[in-house]
Amino acid sequence: RSQWNTKTSEEFALPTEIWRETIERFKRCDEVIDSISNGKIHEINDFITYNLDIRTFVYDLLSHTPDSDFIKHFYYALQNVTVLDPTCGSGAFLFAAMNILEPLYEICIDRMQEFHSKDSRLFASELAEISNKYRSNIQYFIFKSIILRNLYGVDIMVEATEIAKLRLFLKMVAVVEVDRRADNLGLDPLPDIDFNIRCGNTLVGYATEEELENDLTYGDMFANLEFKEAVENEMKCVSESYESFRRIQLNQSEDMTAYKQAKGDLKLRLSSLNELLNRRLYGTAQIEYTDWLKSHQPFHWLAEFYQIIKGNGGFDVIIGNPPYVEYPSKDVQYKFDSLATSQCGNLYGCCTERGIKISQPNGRFSFIVPVAITCSKRMEDAIELLKRTSSALYFANFDDRPGKLFEMIQHLRATIFIAHKSDSKQSATIFATKYNRWYTECRSLLFDSLCYTDVTKFSTSFIIPKMSYPIECQINDKLHRIKYITANYYGGRSSNESVYFRAAGGGYFLLIKNQKSITFINGVLEDVKAEKEIKIDDAYNNTSIGAILSSTLFYWNYIAYTDCRNLTRGFIDNFPIPLSAVEDEKTVNNGNALFADFEANKRTKDTYYQSTGRNVVYDEYYPKLSKHYVDNFDITLAKHYCFTKEELDFII
């Protein structure tokens, strides 16, 4: 392993890879192939766990199966799957979903035509829909089917929903083959997707029948029964009107009068039902009803998508990038008292709960959210809800440096979670990845190289540790099984020794020292506000404690369990430090060498801020220049935590 951390030879390497990463990748590949050969991969969750290419697998299966019944049932399922983005914005996720579904439609149609050519009784009705009802081409038919049958979106901004519709329409128009001699140039009318892409507040309104029933437990019993009967009648009418309107669109009716009448009837029914529900939800609000409607923009999922919420039990697939907006704030004037996540303080937590509520019992649900969802106490309700309603959960974690997921956003440490919803009473199995960092040149390989590992046993009420490899689980196990008395190390105010740490900006190194940093502002000595002090009991050496907290082991644990930005006293207090490591003479000696090197490598900066008129003189530290001392220190620590050579090698 002498070349373990050097750049891999070009014939074996992916961009920026070192030998350690290359060999890990090859090893992983062998393990996956072995799992496939031994029949360990036999359900969709296994494809996610092993990060396999589901789309290519399905496409190949459809291309080569000799079973016409499989094609028939798959095509039927494909036409009926419902994909929702509950905060769709301009429709980027729906657009991507359409690009994923399109080749599956296409291969199904190719195979149906192939089977039909050999036996005219097979797929006669399915192919008749294409040949008789659509005049443009098969691709246009496919896009139209996906848009009408599969895609749904909601957003609070009406402008965003109009852009989303336009993007989908342009995708269809781009494949049209114009026939200048035919009526209307041979073009089909664009589909009406006003009832697929809707405007409203995802979080305000009745989502399910259960929510409505719960609301009816309050107030006058007879009035509630009358209200319930009126709502049920209206819902039935809305469902019938929607099916009639959808059928006219899919059949490509030339009768525009029937089309307009069906749409007008549906709008009227929906308006009547929404008025009923809005009045009930409004209750005794302290503002005028019209003002309340304008500020809250209630959206009743049960009414707007009755045929999906009631008929299908919810949406099959929910995807999206919900808003990361703190509340209460000037931008969020409404309350979410009916939501279990109402205290989480950020809209993405509430959107997560709403997504769970409106997905069907066996549905799939995935959001891109801040990495804080894996470690923030205030997100506990959202995490507990995901665990309680899912059979499997996946958390892929990403830094925003040096490369980042969203180029247009300055900084976003992100997590992509995937939930397989289940009504089983068993708690979810939880998988996670490490905190992925990559260079922009590696972006195209980022998702191909994701590696999940089972972290269920290490997940607490709101913590989902960020790890990718079984060896990390081994290290974590040993770390938290070791006998330690951390609390004894930290003394009271009268203690003479201290350790100092920077509370923010974790980056690639943590700055923890055995002496205070100083700053001069306009010549006056000031404490560094971002630096926090920990008093060390006089019985222990502050250099020894500080050096242990400066180890790569501590940094790895910090990355696994925090938001990778804020270092808190609470986290430090809970890090297990064995007494033998504190008292080891090598620990003290290595600590002295490390902190001396910190001081030797620091640079004094003198900066004048014209906007404030302040002249600031401060010390800037470069912990990376002392990495060899940190490595020596981790070697010393290894015996105290009973790490194997392989585990120590991984830590370094």
Side-chain angles (χ1 to χ4, degrees):
R1 297 183 178 179
S2 60
Q3 302 302 311
W4 209 235
N5 293 317
T6 60
K7 189 169 171 50
T8 307
S9 302
E10 284 189 19
E11 64 266 35
F12 301 112
L14 295 178
T16 76
E17 256 188 351
I18 58 174
W19 277 111
R20 172 191 300 280
E21 295 166 328
T22 304
I23 292 168
E24 183 64 45
R25 177 166 55 83
F26 284 8
K27 182 181 174 184
R28 174 83 174 170
C29 184
D30 288 340
E31 288 171 354
V32 172
I33 291 171
D34 183 60
S35 296
I36 295 170
S37 302
N38 294 328
K40 292 181 182 178
I41 297 176
H42 53 82
E43 60 179 48
I44 297 301
N45 284 352
D46 296 330
F47 277 78
I48 303 172
T49 304
Y50 288 93
N51 196 31
L52 299 174
D53 188 340
I54 304 176
R55 281 184 285 173
T56 301
F57 174 82
V58 174
Y59 190 89
D60 287 349
L61 184 60
L62 292 169
S63 299
H64 295 98
T65 180
D67 186 353
S68 62
D69 279 344
F70 179 77
I71 298 292
K72 180 177 182 179
H73 291 301
F74 190 92
Y75 185 64
Y76 175 80
L78 196 60
Q79 287 187 308
N80 285 278
V81 69
T82 53
V83 181
L84 167 75
D85 184 346
T87 54
C88 69
S90 58
F93 281 78
L94 297 177
F95 197 77
M98 181 161 65
N99 288 334
I100 289 170
L101 291 170
E102 186 262 337
L104 299 180
Y105 266 89
E106 189 170 11
I107 190 62
C108 282
I109 292 171
D110 286 347
R111 293 308 309 280
M112 287 192 297
Q113 290 173 334
E114 181 186 326
F115 283 115
H116 183 71
S117 66
K118 296 174 182 177
D119 184 345
S120 59
R121 293 171 297 176
L122 295 175
F123 302 110
S125 60
E126 290 85 357
L127 295 175
E129 181 185 29
I130 299 169
S131 58
N132 296 333
K133 305 290 173 56
Y134 293 85
R135 295 175 300 181
S136 296
N137 56 37
I138 287 178
Q139 249 194 317
Y140 183 88
F141 161 74
I142 290 171
F143 287 139
K144 187 169 186 177
S145 292
I146 293 171
I147 291 169
L148 287 178
R149 289 182 161 118
N150 303 126
L151 303 184
Y152 300 86
V154 175
D155 198 87
I156 199 167
M157 292 181 61
V158 66
E159 301 91 344
T161 59
E162 291 303 316
I163 293 171
K165 293 176 195 176
L166 181 61
R167 290 181 75 177
L168 296 174
F169 286 150
L170 290 174
K171 183 75 172 178
M172 280 192 299
V173 171
V175 300
V176 165
E177 296 170 2
V178 174
D179 182 356
R180 299 189 181 280
R181 298 181 180 179
D183 294 338
N184 198 37
L185 301 178
L187 305 180
D188 298 320
L190 289 171
D192 191 321
I193 55 173
D194 285 349
F195 300 102
N196 290 56
I197 313 296
R198 313 301 302 272
C199 182
N201 191 332
T202 287
L203 299 174
V204 177
Y206 296 110
T208 62
E209 279 189 304
E210 182 184 10
E211 282 189 12
L212 189 57
E213 288 286 347
N214 290 340
D215 195 40
L216 293 177
T217 58
Y218 305 99
D220 182 85
M221 181 177 71
F222 295 105
N224 285 342
L225 286 173
E226 185 179 342
F227 171 77
K228 183 178 179 182
E229 186 178 342
V231 168
E232 286 176 347
N233 288 335
E234 287 295 340
M235 283 182 177
K236 185 178 178 182
C237 292
V238 165
S239 180
E240 291 171 354
S241 296
Y242 181 82
E243 285 304 317
S244 174
F245 176 69
R246 190 164 176 255
R247 188 167 54 251
I248 288 173
Q249 285 217 87
L250 289 170
N251 290 339
Q252 199 61 53
S253 173
E254 300 281 355
D255 189 348
M256 291 304 295
T257 302
Y259 164 78
K260 289 179 180 178
Q261 184 176 341
K263 182 174 182 179
D265 184 53
L266 177 54
K267 289 181 74 172
L268 191 64
R269 293 294 185 188
L270 264 177
S271 177
S272 177
L273 176 55
N274 275 319
E275 179 66 13
L276 266 174
L277 296 173
N278 285 340
R279 288 287 179 183
R280 177 77 188 193
L281 192 65
Y282 170 68
T284 56
Q286 300 301 308
I287 58 175
E288 290 292 326
Y289 179 65
T290 52
D291 294 334
W292 177 83
L293 283 179
K294 185 177 180 180
S295 63
H296 285 63
Q297 292 179 256
F299 186 84
H300 305 290
W301 295 88
L302 184 58
E304 304 287 355
F305 296 117
Y306 178 78
Q307 73 286 357
I308 295 174
I309 300 295
K310 172 70 174 175
N312 192 49
F315 290 89
D316 298 305
V317 178
I318 293 179
I319 51 176
N321 178 209
Y324 317 142
V325 177
E326 295 286 316
Y327 69 84
S329 68
K330 62 181 179 62
D331 297 319
V332 184
Q333 301 293 331
Y334 36 87
K335 295 181 179 179
F336 315 110
D337 294 339
S338 62
L339 297 178
T341 54
S342 60
Q343 301 303 310
C344 71
N346 197 296
L347 292 187
Y348 77 83
C350 299
C351 289
T352 298
E353 179 180 350
R354 184 60 97 206
I356 293 168
K357 284 280 183 71
I358 59 178
S359 61
Q360 61 106 328
N362 195 39
R364 304 278 172 168
F365 174 29
S366 181
F367 269 173
I368 300 179
V369 294
V371 78
I373 198 171
T374 66
C375 56
S376 173
K377 173 67 176 173
R378 66 178 187 164
M379 287 296 153
E380 183 173 9
D381 290 331
I383 286 292
E384 284 296 324
L385 195 57
L386 280 168
K387 289 180 182 178
R388 197 167 62 247
T389 57
S390 306
S391 61
L393 286 168
Y394 299 84
F395 294 85
N397 307 295
F398 305 91
D399 198 356
D400 59 353
R401 287 178 175 147
K404 49 189 177 181
L405 289 183
F406 296 101
E407 292 299 336
M408 69 290 291
I409 298 176
Q410 188 173 8
H411 291 298
L412 172 66
R413 299 167 176 87
T415 291
I416 301 177
F417 73 75
I418 303 171
H420 180 195
K421 194 174 176 185
S422 170
D423 52 11
S424 168
K425 300 302 179 185
Q426 293 183 337
S427 187
T429 305
I430 302 171
F431 298 88
T433 73
K434 65 180 181 180
Y435 191 47
N436 287 282
R437 287 167 165 152
W438 74 99
Y439 291 97
T440 302
E441 64 192 284
C442 304
R443 186 182 180 88
S444 62
L445 303 167
L446 178 62
F447 289 100
D448 290 340
S449 57
L450 284 182
C451 183
Y452 287 100
T453 196
D454 188 340
V455 296
T456 309
K457 67 182 289 188
F458 304 116
S459 301
T460 61
S461 57
F462 63 92
I463 296 288
I464 310 294
K466 296 178 281 297
M467 303 176 192
S468 271
Y469 309 112
I471 195 169
E472 292 183 274
C473 296
Q474 294 168 207
I475 294 169
N476 204 43
D477 236 355
K478 289 183 177 180
L479 193 63
H480 292 94
R481 282 184 184 179
I482 204 86
K483 290 183 179 179
Y484 65 96
I485 318 173
T486 304
N488 284 2
Y489 302 142
Y490 305 122
R493 293 184 179 180
S494 61
S495 300
N496 295 315
E497 294 190 329
S498 298
V499 166
Y500 302 89
F501 68 95
R502 295 289 170 91
Y508 296 98
F509 289 88
L510 297 172
L511 184 59
I512 298 170
K513 305 192 286 98
N514 64 347
Q515 57 183 298
K516 184 185 293 187
S517 299
I518 58 173
T519 296
F520 288 91
I521 299 177
N522 292 338
V524 179
L525 181 64
E526 300 272 356
D527 288 336
V528 177
K529 291 182 180 179
E531 193 169 82
K532 307 297 180 183
E533 181 181 14
I534 302 176
K535 290 284 188 179
I536 302 299
D537 191 284
D538 290 336
Y540 305 105
N541 187 300
N542 69 328
T543 297
S544 183
I545 300 288
I548 291 171
L549 297 177
S550 296
S551 66
T552 302
L553 175 65
F554 179 81
Y555 177 78
W556 166 81
N557 193 246
Y558 159 79
I559 291 296
Y561 279 92
T562 72
D563 64 0
C564 309
R565 182 172 182 270
N566 298 295
L567 178 59
T568 65
R569 173 65 190 269
F571 179 78
I572 292 173
D573 286 351
N574 287 310
F575 182 75
I577 302 175
L579 183 59
S580 61
V582 177
E583 295 178 339
D584 190 332
E585 189 177 341
K586 285 186 177 179
T587 304
V588 180
N589 292 337
N590 286 338
N592 284 325
L594 173 67
F595 294 135
D597 203 54
F598 276 3
E599 296 301 318
N601 290 321
K602 74 180 182 183
R603 299 287 181 271
T604 300
K605 295 291 184 76
D606 189 338
T607 305
Y608 177 73
Y609 295 91
Q610 191 169 2
S611 58
T612 61
R614 296 201 311 169
N615 187 74
V616 181
V617 180
Y618 64 97
D619 289 334
E620 191 165 88
Y621 288 85
Y622 304 92
K624 67 178 181 179
L625 299 178
S626 305
K627 177 70 165 66
H628 56 292
Y629 286 102
V630 176
D631 291 347
N632 289 335
F633 195 76
D634 280 294
I635 292 169
T636 301
L637 282 180
K639 68 177 182 180
H640 298 287
Y641 289 96
C642 303
F643 293 143
T644 65
K645 288 183 178 180
E646 187 180 11
E647 289 163 350
L648 171 61
D649 187 69
F650 177 86
I651 290 164
I652 290 178

